Amino acid sequence: MSEQRKPAEEYVVIRHRPGYRLRRTAILLVFTVVAAVVGYAAGLAQGGFRFSSAEESNQVLENEVEKLRDGYRKARQQLINLERGQAIDEQALNRARKTIVDLETRIVSLQSDLTFYKNIMAPSETSKGLQVDSFSLVRARNQENYDFKLVLTQVGNNKSYISGVVAVNVIGLRDEEKEVIALRDLSEDIADLGVKFRFRYFQDVEGSLKLPEQFEPLEIQVVAQAEGKKSSQAERTFNWDDLTEN
């Protein structure tokens, strides 16, 4: 008596995919390494590097840059290994590449902060005392306002506090006539003509400004005046187009 066959629907076809599980594991490994490093960097960014001691901040930055570089090298090697394989999940690979780019951007940002602190602690002979370090402008989401950030520094001799006032003016044209407008008249965040400051290493002045209609901005003029024993003046002018070209 012949053996009865089972119905066709009871048979299950199993296709063997060589290396699939290994490749998936490799991809997960890349994300684990990169996500850990990026998460660590993001935590540092949220916590902030600007402590009361510039020496402490400088050392912390040096340590964290080295950690990020080590994690970045590992993630890059994993990515190279994945790219050499075949039939890699393209979507997962693209995500890994994007994360690598984000990590590179974060490292550049940390290196910029590191340079900032080193310049404060070890300045050149021609740049000591009160300094107008930088002024930045970023278009706000509503496209009508600009977010600004002014950074003042005390370079070199920063064992004691320095205090005074800083004035910011926007210079431009209206009806083909030169016009100078105080930041106080453009920003709800600034109440006085001169903004008071007091710091050892640096101080940020941040807020939002809105330009009047028919006004064409050309320059930002910053004048900082220190008072008391450290009486001095620092002045710097920024080109509007250079600040907003990005």
Side-chain angles (χ1 to χ4, degrees), residues 116-125 127-128 155-156 158:
F116 174 81
Y117 284 107
K118 284 184 175 180
N119 288 340
I120 291 178
M121 303 309 300
S124 65
E125 291 297 325
S127 60
K128 290 186 177 181
V155 180
N158 40 38

Side-chain angles (χ1 to χ4, degrees), residues 135-137 146-150 166-171 180-195 205-212 219-222 240:
F135 192 95
S136 61
L137 281 174
Y146 290 88
D147 295 325
F148 67 84
K149 180 178 180 180
L150 167 65
V166 56
V168 180
N169 296 315
V170 180
I171 303 172
V180 179
I181 306 178
L183 184 60
R184 176 188 62 179
D185 299 327
L186 302 175
S187 174
E188 296 180 354
D189 302 301
I190 305 299
D192 301 319
L193 189 62
V195 179
V205 178
E206 299 180 86
S208 177
L209 67 87
K210 183 178 180 181
L211 298 174
E219 296 176 328
I220 298 284
Q221 181 189 56
V222 181
W240 181 276

Side-chain angles (χ1 to χ4, degrees), residues 7-20:
E9 61 268 24
E10 292 187 16
Y11 288 93
V12 178
V13 178
I14 299 178
R15 296 180 179 177
H16 181 56
R17 302 176 65 181
Y20 175 76

Side-chain angles (χ1 to χ4, degrees), residues 130 132 152 162-167 195-197 222-228 230-235:
L130 177 64
V132 179
L152 301 175
I162 187 171
S163 60
V165 294
V166 56
V195 179
K196 294 182 179 180
F197 63 81
V222 181
V223 180
Q225 179 67 54
E227 303 169 343
K230 292 190 174 183
S231 178
S232 61
Q233 180 174 298
E235 183 175 346

Side-chain angles (χ1 to χ4, degrees), residues 41-96:
L44 291 171
Q46 292 175 358
F49 282 108
R50 299 191 163 184
F51 308 120
S52 59
S53 170
E55 296 98 329
E56 180 182 355
S57 299
N58 184 66
Q59 186 59 51
V60 168
L61 281 166
E62 289 182 341
N63 294 339
E64 301 318 326
V65 166
E66 186 56 37
K67 289 179 182 178
L68 282 173
R69 283 175 177 165
D70 182 59
Y72 170 74
R73 285 192 291 267
K74 292 178 181 178
R76 282 291 301 172
Q77 186 57 53
Q78 291 293 336
L79 184 60
I80 291 172
N81 294 340
L82 286 174
E83 288 174 334
R84 289 174 179 171
Q86 297 180 353
I88 298 299
D89 185 335
E90 193 65 29
Q91 185 177 3
L93 190 58
N94 289 336
R95 287 199 299 268

